[in-house]
Amino acid sequence: RFGSCGCGIFETRLRDEKGYSISVADLFNLSEIDLKDAICLIRNEYFKKMMPERGKLTELALKVLESEAILDNFVAACQKFKDNTSLFNIDDYSSTGYPIIFEGAQGLLLDENHPFFPHVTPSSTGLTNILKLPNIDMTKLTIIYVLRCYMTRHGNGPFPSESIELTDKMQGSDQTNKTNPFQGPLRFGHLDFPLIKQAIDKDLKQIPKHVDYSAELALTCLDHLNIFSSSGEEDFLKEIKERLQRPITYVSRGEKRSDIIKSPIAGGV
């Protein structure tokens, strides 16, 4: 149970490094037949090479691996992605003056260089990759760090603020992180303010001096606040602002996009 979520992202990276990769460009440039051939090459050539290292697969896993129906469904999903996605040249777009929105990889505490290694994800999760992008005149940044009103970890690894009591209360509440044999149950705990602040401060230190930036917070899952805190919402938000020394500009009290609102307290809490 190494890694961050146990879904095989590191395995994908290893496969890519060995030359068996499919990029977004491939999705746009390859025909459906060629795309299927590329996936079959991964299945029939690369996977057979690595199977002895991973041990014997279950009968069900082999059935899934060899399923033509699953392969065809994946190719169809790739086609749907292609039909609903537009590619653009970032050099051309950056010159228009419109803002560009980037999404981080995963949480800052899962960065591949974090001391929690090897229980991390195989990538840089904060500003690192964004700041490395070439040919962008990056002079102004608005950074929004998103937090739940509690902390979680799926799989093994350090979790200083973990609470068994809260984990028991919250089991089944997150349908995107269900209990499974590899990761086990989703683990819950209270916000670890020193750890979070340290991670944010370290991430922000990467920003060049000539870049004007603001660092803000967005807090989600406030509909679960009564399980994790005896404080009212306003007091809880003020405590987060004080402890992390950052304004909270957005909050969310549910699962839908419409549940996200600007901070209810004037001045971004």
Side-chain angles (χ1 to χ4, degrees):
R1 292 179 179 174
F2 288 165
S4 58
C5 63
C7 294
I9 304 303
F10 185 61
E11 292 287 350
T12 302
R13 174 172 165 175
L14 291 178
R15 171 175 57 76
D16 183 75
E17 290 173 351
K18 293 181 180 180
Y20 294 86
S21 62
I22 297 176
S23 66
V24 172
D26 291 332
L27 298 185
F28 280 81
N29 296 328
L30 296 178
S31 67
E32 287 193 36
I33 294 175
D34 290 339
L35 177 60
K36 186 172 180 178
D37 287 344
I39 299 170
C40 285
L41 185 67
I42 293 173
R43 180 181 67 179
N44 301 332
E45 187 172 306
Y46 171 76
F47 194 77
K48 287 182 179 179
K49 287 181 180 178
M50 55 80 71
M51 275 185 69
E53 301 175 15
R54 302 298 187 268
K56 188 176 180 181
L57 292 180
T58 65
E59 184 178 342
L60 176 60
L62 282 171
K63 186 177 180 180
V64 169
L65 180 66
E66 296 169 355
S67 171
E68 290 300 317
I70 291 177
L71 180 56
D72 289 338
N73 284 341
F74 180 75
V75 172
C78 290
Q79 184 62 44
K80 186 175 181 180
F81 169 83
K82 175 181 174 180
D83 293 341
N84 290 277
T85 306
S86 299
L87 296 184
F88 64 87
N89 186 314
I90 198 165
D91 296 339
D92 296 337
Y93 192 84
S94 60
S95 65
T96 65
Y98 290 107
I100 303 175
I101 299 175
F102 299 97
E103 181 181 4
Q106 284 196 42
L108 294 180
L109 299 178
L110 295 175
D111 187 275
E112 62 183 343
N113 294 312
H114 194 276
F116 285 168
F117 183 88
H119 302 284
V120 295
T121 199
S123 67
S124 298
T125 61
L127 293 168
T128 304
N129 292 329
I130 297 170
L131 296 173
K132 287 180 179 178
L133 287 170
N135 304 324
I136 296 183
D137 184 19
M138 196 175 296
T139 56
K140 188 173 183 179
L141 279 173
T142 300
I143 306 144
I144 301 177
Y145 292 103
V146 182
L147 306 169
R148 302 188 195 204
C149 63
Y150 47 86
M151 294 181 74
T152 63
R153 177 183 269 282
H154 214 165
N156 288 348
F159 194 173
S161 64
E162 181 175 13
S163 167
I164 302 302
E165 179 185 356
L166 296 180
T167 295
D168 289 341
K169 288 181 180 180
M170 291 296 292
Q171 279 310 307
S173 62
D174 190 335
Q175 295 302 305
T176 63
N177 288 283
K178 295 182 179 180
T179 300
N180 63 71
F182 185 83
Q183 298 162 279
L186 187 64
R187 300 155 62 191
F188 292 80
H190 296 282
L191 291 177
D192 189 329
F193 292 110
L195 194 62
I196 296 169
K197 186 176 186 304
Q198 181 185 51
I200 291 176
D201 290 347
K202 181 181 178 182
D203 194 44
L204 293 174
K205 283 183 179 179
Q206 304 177 80
I207 301 175
K209 292 183 178 180
H210 72 276
V211 177
D212 179 24
Y213 75 89
S214 64
E216 306 164 2
L217 304 173
L219 195 72
T220 69
C221 302
L222 281 171
D223 48 319
H224 294 150
L225 179 60
N226 63 318
I227 301 175
F228 288 84
S229 174
S230 59
S231 302
E233 182 178 300
E234 182 174 338
D235 290 338
F236 185 72
L237 294 176
K238 287 181 177 178
E239 180 186 9
I240 292 175
K241 178 190 175 183
E242 266 182 40
R243 300 288 295 274
L244 299 183
Q245 298 177 16
R246 302 289 170 192
I248 301 172
T249 51
Y250 294 95
V251 297
S252 173
R253 302 186 185 92
E255 300 177 352
K256 300 176 181 178
R257 182 168 57 182
S258 58
D259 293 322
I260 302 171
I261 62 171
K262 288 196 172 183
S263 174
I265 302 176
V269 188

